[in-house]
C-alpha cells in the first residue's frame, strides 16, 4: 500500500509550474500534442516525432528495468506523485521524452518553416528543462537520473537523425510496413524484461508502442490510398500566416479530433477488456488480473493502436467531411 508523505505548499507558483511541467511528460500530453501537430501543422514533422518518441521511450523504459536503480528515498525527499513510484529511477523517461519531443520538433521544422532559429532553440530548451526540473521538484528522480535521461535522448537523436528520411520513406512505401509495425512492437512487449514485482513500465511501454504502431499503419494507408505524402502540400507555418480564421480552424480540428480519439480509447478499452475478461474469466474491475502479461499487453496494445490509427486515418476523414481541411 502506497504511503504518502504529508507536505505543506509554501510556494504555489513553483508547485503548479512543476506539477504542470510534469504532466508534459505523461499520456495527457502525448494524446493531445502529437495529434495536434498531425492535424494542424505538418504530417512529416508528426511522423518523425512519433517514431523518435516510440524508440526513445522503449529504450528508456527497458533501461529502467535492466539497471534497477532505485528512486530517491522518501524521506528525506517528499514525493508529490505515487503512480510511477513503483518504477525504477534511472533514466528519467520524462527527461528523455521531453528532450526527444522538443528537439525533434525543432530539428524537423527549423529549416522549412519561417521562425527565428534562436526562438525555436530557446523553446526546446525551456520545455525540456521545465520537465527535467519537475522530476526533481516532485521528488521522483535524482539529478543523475534526469541528466542521464536527457543525455541518452540526445545521443539517440544524433544517431537517428541521419536515418530520418530513410526510415520515413520505408514506413510510407514498404509493403511490409503494416505487418512489421504490428509484429515488432508486440514481440518487444511480450518479451519485456521480467521483474520480481509489478511495475507500470511494461504497461506504459505497451501503450506507447501500440500508439506508435497504429499511427504508423495509418501513415502507410494514407500514403497508399489517400494523399501521397510526397506530393501533398504542407501547411507552411509562419507567424504572418496566423489569422483568426486559421486559429478557429485549428481549434475546431483539434476539438473534433480529440473527441474521436477519447471515444475510440474508451470504446476499445471496454470492448477489449470485456473480451479478455470472458476469455480468462475475470471481472473488468479486477486490477490484479489486468496486470497479468496475457491481459495487459493485448489490452493496452489493441486499445492504443486503435487510438493511433483513429488519429491518423479516421480523424482526417472526418475533418474532410466536416469541411475543416
Amino acid at each position: 500500500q502506497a504511503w504518502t508523505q504529508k507536505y505543506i505548499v509554501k510556494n504555489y507558483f513553483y508547485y503548479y509550474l512543476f506539477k504542470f511541467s510534469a504532466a508534459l511528460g505523461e499520456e495527457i500530453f502525448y494524446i493531445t500534442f502529437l495529434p495536434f501537430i498531425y492535424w494542424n501543422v505538418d504530417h512529416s514533422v508528426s511522423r518523425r516525432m512519433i517514431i523518435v518518441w516510440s524508440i526513445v521511450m522503449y529504450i528508456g523504459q527497458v533501461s529502467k528495468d535492466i539497471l534497477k536503480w532505485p528512486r530517491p528515498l522518501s524521506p528525506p525527499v517528499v514525493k508529490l506523485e505515487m503512480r510511477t513510484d513503483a518504477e525504477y529511477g534511472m533514466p528519467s523517461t520524462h527527461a528523455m521524452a521531453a528532450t526527444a519531443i522538443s528537439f525533434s520538433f525543432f530539428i524537423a521544422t527549423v529549416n522549412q518553416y519561417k521562425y527565428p532559429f534562436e526562438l525555436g532553440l530557446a523553446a526546446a530548451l525551456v520545455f525540456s528543462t521545465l520537465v527535467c526540473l519537475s522530476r526533481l521538484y516532485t521528488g521522483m528522480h535524482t539529478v543523475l537520473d534526469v541528466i542521464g535521461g536527457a543525455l541518452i535522448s540526445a545521443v539517440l537523436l544524433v544517431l537517428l537523425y541521419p536515418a530520418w528520411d530513410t526510415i520515413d520513406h520505408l514506413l510510407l512505401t514498404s509493403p511490409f510496413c503494416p505487418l512489421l509495425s504490428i509484429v515488432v512492437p508486440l514481440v518487444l512487449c511480450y518479451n519485456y524484461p521480467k521483474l520480481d514485482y509489478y511495475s507500470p513500465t511494461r504497461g506504459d511501454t505497451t501503450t506507447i508502442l501500440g500508439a506508435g504502431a497504429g499511427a504508423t499503419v495509418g501513415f502507410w494507408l494514407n500514403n497508399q490510398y489517400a494523399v501521397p505524402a510526397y506530393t501533398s502540400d504542407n501547411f507552411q507555418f509562419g507567424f504572418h500566416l496566423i489569422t483568426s480564421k486559421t486559429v478557429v480552424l485549428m481549434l475546431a480540428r483539434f476539438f473534433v479530433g480529440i473527441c474521436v480519439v477519447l471515444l475510440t480509447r474508451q470504446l476499445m478499452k471496454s470492448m477489449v477488456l470485456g473480451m479478455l475478461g470472458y476469455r480468462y474469466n475475470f471481472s473488468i474491475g479486477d486490477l490484479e488480473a489486468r496486470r497479468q502479461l496475457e491481459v495487459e499487453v493485448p489490452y493496452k496494445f489493441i486499445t492504443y493502436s486503435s487510438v493511433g490509427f483513429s488519429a491518423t486515418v479516421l480523424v482526417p476523414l472526418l475533418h474532410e467531411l466536416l469541411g475543416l481541411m
Side-chain angles (χ1 to χ4, degrees), residues 62-80:
V62 168
S63 298
K64 279 181 192 279
D65 290 340
I66 291 174
L67 292 172
K68 297 183 178 179
W69 287 21
R71 288 187 183 268
L73 290 173
S74 175
V77 305
V78 176
K79 293 186 177 178
L80 305 187

Side-chain angles (χ1 to χ4, degrees), residues 7-20:
Y7 57 88
I8 297 170
V9 178
K10 292 183 177 178
N11 189 314
Y12 281 96
F13 174 75
Y14 288 137
Y15 178 78
Y16 288 114
L17 173 66
F18 291 124
K19 288 286 277 185
F20 173 75

Side-chain angles (χ1 to χ4, degrees), residues 20 169 221 235 266 318:
F20 173 75
H169 180 72
L221 274 175
F235 170 62
Q266 193 56 44
L318 187 57

Side-chain angles (χ1 to χ4, degrees), residues 28-283:
I28 186 68
F29 175 73
Y30 304 141
I31 212 168
T32 53
F33 180 73
L34 293 175
F36 179 87
I37 300 299
Y38 188 77
W39 299 328
N40 286 310
V41 180
D42 188 311
H43 288 186
S44 68
V45 171
S46 178
R47 289 197 303 270
R48 284 160 173 76
M49 289 174 70
I50 288 170
I51 296 307
V52 168
W53 169 67
S54 301
I55 294 170
V56 164
M57 287 299 286
Y58 174 75
I59 290 172
Q61 295 284 73
V62 168
S63 298
K64 279 181 192 279
D65 290 340
I66 291 174
L67 292 172
K68 297 183 178 179
W69 287 21
R71 288 187 183 268
L73 290 173
S74 175
V77 305
V78 176
K79 293 186 177 178
L80 305 187
E81 296 176 16
M82 293 314 297
R83 181 192 171 274
T84 57
D85 194 40
E87 296 179 9
Y88 288 107
M90 171 63 106
S92 164
T93 44
H94 272 72
M96 291 183 73
T99 304
I101 285 177
S102 57
F103 281 94
S104 60
F105 180 78
F106 171 59
I107 294 165
T109 58
V110 69
N111 290 324
Q112 64 184 102
Y113 296 114
K114 299 169 184 176
Y115 66 83
F117 176 89
E118 296 80 6
L119 181 66
L121 180 61
L125 283 169
V126 168
F127 179 91
S128 52
T129 301
L130 277 175
V131 175
C132 288
L133 289 176
S134 77
R135 306 318 288 154
L136 302 177
Y137 182 86
T138 55
M140 300 312 295
H141 285 285
T142 64
V143 173
L144 192 59
D145 294 344
V146 170
I147 292 173
L151 284 178
I152 293 168
S153 197
V155 169
L156 288 171
L157 269 174
V158 170
L159 294 174
L160 287 169
Y161 178 70
W164 267 15
D165 291 339
T166 305
I167 294 170
D168 191 49
H169 180 72
L170 286 172
L171 290 178
L172 291 173
T173 59
S174 171
F176 302 108
C177 171
L179 180 65
L180 291 175
S181 296
I182 299 297
V183 172
V184 172
L186 268 177
V187 169
L188 293 174
C189 293
Y190 274 108
N191 290 279
Y192 193 81
K194 290 179 173 60
L195 295 176
D196 297 330
Y197 64 92
Y198 178 78
S199 164
T201 44
R202 184 183 64 205
D204 290 346
T205 305
T206 306
T207 294
I208 291 161
L209 294 185
T216 305
V217 172
F219 299 150
W220 184 87
L221 274 175
N222 286 338
N223 188 58
Q224 299 296 317
Y225 301 107
V227 182
Y230 298 118
T231 60
S232 60
D233 293 327
N234 282 325
F235 170 62
Q236 292 293 311
F237 183 78
F239 292 112
H240 65 289
L241 291 176
I242 298 179
T243 64
S244 56
K245 184 182 177 183
T246 309
V247 171
V248 169
L249 267 177
M250 291 170 78
L251 291 174
R253 282 195 290 260
F254 177 72
F255 178 74
V256 168
I258 210 67
C259 285
V260 173
V261 163
L262 293 176
L263 185 62
T264 302
R265 184 179 68 163
Q266 193 56 44
L267 286 174
M268 293 306 296
K269 182 178 178 180
S270 301
M271 189 172 76
V272 175
L273 270 179
M275 291 170 66
L276 289 168
Y278 178 76
R279 167 69 178 82
Y280 294 107
N281 194 27
F282 68 88
S283 68

